[in-house]
């Protein structure tokens, strides 16, 4: 959460969603079949969820009453948010490749981008509300599906390298002619290239919040995190890989924190980021909670992996997270003697149901779903595109979003620090007039669309 959020609220910034409107928006949330993802009714629900997401983060930063979380709990909508999260993940995995083959982004990337970005919106909202213990408990049986989702994202974080600085530099170095030759699908891939990494880092926070309330969640959540997915070992592997750290071409170190990459001074390299803190707190909960220790099956392999954590403990580290002194002592005991195996017994385990239900409901007819969505949802005339742009302009209020910018905007043409914005559409930023003129050939269609929507 950014200091800019707090400054914005304290300086008189308005609410994007009032408490009364939040109740109405939460009450209207419903589950959509995969076939209807991208439809107009689905788009309207996305806009509602995005507004709730923005307001939830504003409330958290300003330390105000969290009426978004209260409304979601009161109307029992948190399990529905998890359902929608898994639905859009399955869409991206099964339907999206067929849509790419059908060139669904040829005319416009607005609707495709919104659909892809929906997963990030849902993860961000859940990250904001699951900080509350009551919200975690309100997940109910859907917490089992959420635990599996988090595991998939963390495994993907291990398999996918962190976004590099060379990609942005290469894009900024393209000539105007080269940028005009970029296809709609290539543009969409550029726009969404960093989303998987952003989503996975937010999944880390969600995991930590789940581990905070493990004893109040369905028993299968603990079983799956500990013995099905062996989450402690996954977190150890993440600590070793450290995908939130990268080197720039100039040899400088950058760390990912609060949604952006920042350069780390040499004397700050041992300072923990939010991402690293979430991992350590998750490990602490999984390994120090008595009920978790009684259920975790220690083997020679996972014991050896866990003992690798001892290399991270030093005075600077423990000064930042003093409670990990207990974890350090537990690891020293583990090095001397393996804990006894869990007591034998019969356990009836609940299984995750949402993903399997969605797969069965679709009948594995992913190609047909893609063809239906192409004709019904992604092949829009100019009037429909203008209507979509008009609704987006209402959802993303510029006065609010300017306060939420994590850093200074960059020029759409050359990538330098920007100081002015397109006066018509208010979307693209530029460092100087020459860059705006050179970028106009690529920006014109988007500017005409958004400008017409704003005028209406």
């Amino acid at each position: 959460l950014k200091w800019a959020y707090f400054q914005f609220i304290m300086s008189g910034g308005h609410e994007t969603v009032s408490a009364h409107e939040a109740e109405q928006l939460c009450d209207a949330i419903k589950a959509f079949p995969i076939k209807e993802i991208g439809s107009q009714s689905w788009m309207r629900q996305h806009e509602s969820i995005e507004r709730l997401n923005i307001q939830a983060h504003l409330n958290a930063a300003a330390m105000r009453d969290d009426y978004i979380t209260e409304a979601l709990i009161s109307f029992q909508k948190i399990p529905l948010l998890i359902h929608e999260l898994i639905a859009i993940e399955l869409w991206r995995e099964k339907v999206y490749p067929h849509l790419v083959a059908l060139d669904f982004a040829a005319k416009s990337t607005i609707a495709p981008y919104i659909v892809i970005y929906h997963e990030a919106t849902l993860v961000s909202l859940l990250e904001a509300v699951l900080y509350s213990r009551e919200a975690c408990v309100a997940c109910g049986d859907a917490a089992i599906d959420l635990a599996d989702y988090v595991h998939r994202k963390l495994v993907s974080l291990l398999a996918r390298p962190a976004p590099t600085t060379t990609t942005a530099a290469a894009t900024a170095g393209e000539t105007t002619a080269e940028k005009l030759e970029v296809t709609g699908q290539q543009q969409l891939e550029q726009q969404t290239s960093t989303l998987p990494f952003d989503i996975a880092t937010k999944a880390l926070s969600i995991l930590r919040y789940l581990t905070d309330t493990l004893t109040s969640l369905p028993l299968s959540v603990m079983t799956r995190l500990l013995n099905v997915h062996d989450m402690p070992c996954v977190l150890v592997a993440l600590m070793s890989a450290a995908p939130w750290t990268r080197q720039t071409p100039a040899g400088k170190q950058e760390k990912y924190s609060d949604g952006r990459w920042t350069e780390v001074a040499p004397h700050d390299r041992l300072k923990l980021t939010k991402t690293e803190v979430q991992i350590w707190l998750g490990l602490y909960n999984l390994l120090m909670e008595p009920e978790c220790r009684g259920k975790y099956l220690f083997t020679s392999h996972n014991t050896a992996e866990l003992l690798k954590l001892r290399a991270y403990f030093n005075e600077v580290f423990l000064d930042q997270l003093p409670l990990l002194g207990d974890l350090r002592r537990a690891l020293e005991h583990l090095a001397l003697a393996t804990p006894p195996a869990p007591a034998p017994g019969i356990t009836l385990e609940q299984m995750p149901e949402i993903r399997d239900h969605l797969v069965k409901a679709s009948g594995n007819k992913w190609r047909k779903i893609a063809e239906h969505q192409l004709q019904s949802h992604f092949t829009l005339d100019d009037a429909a595109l203008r209507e979509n742009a008009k609704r987006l302009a209402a959802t993303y209020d510029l006065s609010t979003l300017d306060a939420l910018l994590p850093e200074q905007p960059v020029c759409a043409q050359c990538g330098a620090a920007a100081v002015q914005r397109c006066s018509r559409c208010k979307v693209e930023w530029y460092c100087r007039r020459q860059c705006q003129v050179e970028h106009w050939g690529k920006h014109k269609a988007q500017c005409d669309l958004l400008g017409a929507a704003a005028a209406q």
Side-chain angles (χ1 to χ4, degrees):
L1 296 176
K2 308 295 184 297
W3 175 247
Y5 290 19
F6 181 75
Q7 289 179 314
F8 175 73
I9 294 298
M10 296 306 292
S11 63
H14 63 278
E15 295 175 337
T16 63
V17 179
S18 65
H20 177 67
E21 188 179 7
E23 293 182 354
Q24 294 178 323
L25 293 177
C26 290
D27 188 31
I29 294 175
K30 64 178 182 179
F32 279 87
I34 291 180
K35 186 178 181 180
E36 293 305 311
I37 290 177
S39 65
Q40 291 303 303
S41 56
W42 184 93
M43 285 286 188
R44 285 191 289 272
Q45 177 159 295
H46 165 78
E47 292 155 14
S48 299
I49 293 174
E50 184 64 270
R51 294 180 65 199
L52 292 170
N53 174 44
I54 293 172
Q55 189 61 54
H57 283 281
L58 289 172
N59 288 346
M63 295 177 285
R64 299 194 300 182
D65 291 339
D66 193 4
Y67 53 83
I68 301 296
T69 300
E70 292 174 1
L72 289 170
I73 294 173
S74 298
F75 290 98
Q76 301 178 354
K77 296 299 182 177
I78 294 181
L80 271 179
L81 293 179
I82 297 172
H83 176 279
E84 291 301 280
L85 178 63
I86 295 173
I88 196 64
E89 179 201 27
L90 192 59
W91 176 90
R92 179 75 184 264
E93 178 184 333
K94 301 293 187 181
V95 181
Y96 178 71
H98 293 291
L99 286 168
V100 171
L102 296 170
D103 199 14
F104 78 128
K107 184 174 182 180
S108 172
T109 61
I110 293 178
Y113 178 81
I114 292 172
V115 174
I116 295 173
Y117 185 74
H118 187 62
E119 183 177 2
T121 298
L122 288 166
V123 168
S124 181
L125 178 57
L126 286 170
E127 181 191 27
V129 303
L130 292 181
Y131 179 79
S132 163
R133 183 182 183 87
E134 291 77 12
C136 284
V137 174
C139 291
D141 292 342
I144 304 171
D145 297 86
L146 183 58
D148 277 23
Y149 170 85
V150 167
H151 175 257
R152 290 192 294 271
K153 293 303 163 185
L154 298 191
V155 170
S156 73
L157 186 59
L158 283 169
R160 182 190 300 270
T164 62
T165 57
T166 55
T167 302
T171 303
E174 292 178 350
T175 65
T176 302
E178 290 172 337
K179 290 184 177 182
L180 288 173
E181 292 176 358
V182 173
T183 65
Q185 183 58 40
Q186 290 173 330
Q187 185 180 4
L188 182 63
E189 294 293 340
Q190 290 174 3
Q191 293 169 343
T192 60
S193 60
T194 61
L195 281 182
F197 185 82
D198 296 338
I199 290 169
T201 55
K202 286 180 170 55
L204 271 171
S205 297
I206 293 175
L207 171 65
R208 177 263 165 121
Y209 300 146
L210 289 178
T211 61
D212 282 344
T213 56
L214 267 183
T215 55
S216 301
L217 297 176
L219 180 60
S220 290
V221 177
M222 184 183 298
T223 302
R224 295 188 73 79
L225 287 179
L226 291 173
N227 296 323
V228 176
H229 302 313
D230 200 352
M231 194 60 74
C233 282
V234 173
L235 295 179
V236 172
L238 277 172
M239 287 300 303
S240 299
W244 51 85
T245 302
R246 69 183 185 186
Q247 292 289 124
T248 67
K252 304 249 180 110
Q253 187 182 82
E254 291 183 339
K255 285 191 175 183
Y256 186 85
S257 181
D258 288 329
R260 60 173 177 155
W261 291 93
T262 55
E263 185 179 324
V264 181
H267 61 274
D268 285 334
R269 291 188 176 181
L270 292 179
K271 185 177 180 180
L272 296 175
T273 65
K274 176 184 174 182
T275 304
E276 293 169 306
V277 170
Q278 299 289 36
I279 291 180
W280 281 109
L281 292 178
L283 280 167
Y284 181 87
N285 291 332
L286 290 171
L287 297 175
M288 298 304 295
E289 166 63 40
E291 191 170 341
C292 291
R293 289 180 65 84
K295 292 185 177 298
Y296 188 42
L297 179 60
F298 286 91
T299 64
S300 58
H301 169 71
N302 60 30
T303 297
E305 289 296 306
L306 292 174
L307 291 179
K308 293 178 182 179
L309 295 174
R310 293 184 297 175
Y312 295 93
F313 291 97
N314 55 54
E315 294 301 323
V316 177
F317 175 80
L318 291 175
D319 283 345
Q320 296 175 77
L321 286 174
L323 83 165
L324 293 184
D326 294 336
L327 178 59
R328 182 184 190 179
R329 286 187 288 273
L331 291 173
E332 296 297 342
H333 286 298
L334 181 62
L336 298 175
T338 302
I346 298 175
T347 303
L348 297 178
E349 182 182 351
Q350 289 177 273
M351 300 297 291
E353 298 178 350
I354 296 176
R355 187 179 172 94
D356 289 342
H357 173 74
L358 288 168
V359 171
K360 289 178 182 177
S362 68
N364 280 316
K365 299 177 181 178
W366 308 116
R367 177 75 180 189
K368 289 186 177 180
I369 292 175
E371 292 171 349
H372 166 77
Q373 291 182 342
L374 177 65
Q375 296 299 321
S376 302
H377 311 332
F378 297 113
T379 305
L380 303 177
D381 55 26
D382 291 341
L385 287 174
R386 283 194 295 271
E387 181 62 27
N388 279 347
K390 184 178 180 181
R391 291 205 310 269
L392 283 174
T395 301
Y396 299 98
D397 178 69
L398 290 174
S399 63
T400 302
L401 294 183
D402 282 350
L404 306 187
L405 286 173
E407 54 189 1
Q408 183 177 359
V410 297
C411 178
Q413 175 65 12
C414 69
V419 295
Q420 60 188 23
R421 185 163 54 188
C422 176
S423 60
R424 188 181 183 203
C425 70
K426 309 291 186 183
V427 172
E428 293 289 13
W429 289 80
Y430 300 99
C431 64
R432 52 181 176 161
R433 175 67 177 169
Q434 182 181 346
C435 281
Q436 184 174 9
V437 173
E438 292 176 356
H439 190 251
W440 176 245
K442 182 179 179 181
H443 176 55
K444 183 178 184 299
Q446 179 192 35
C447 188
D448 288 343
L449 180 64
L450 294 175
Q456 294 177 9

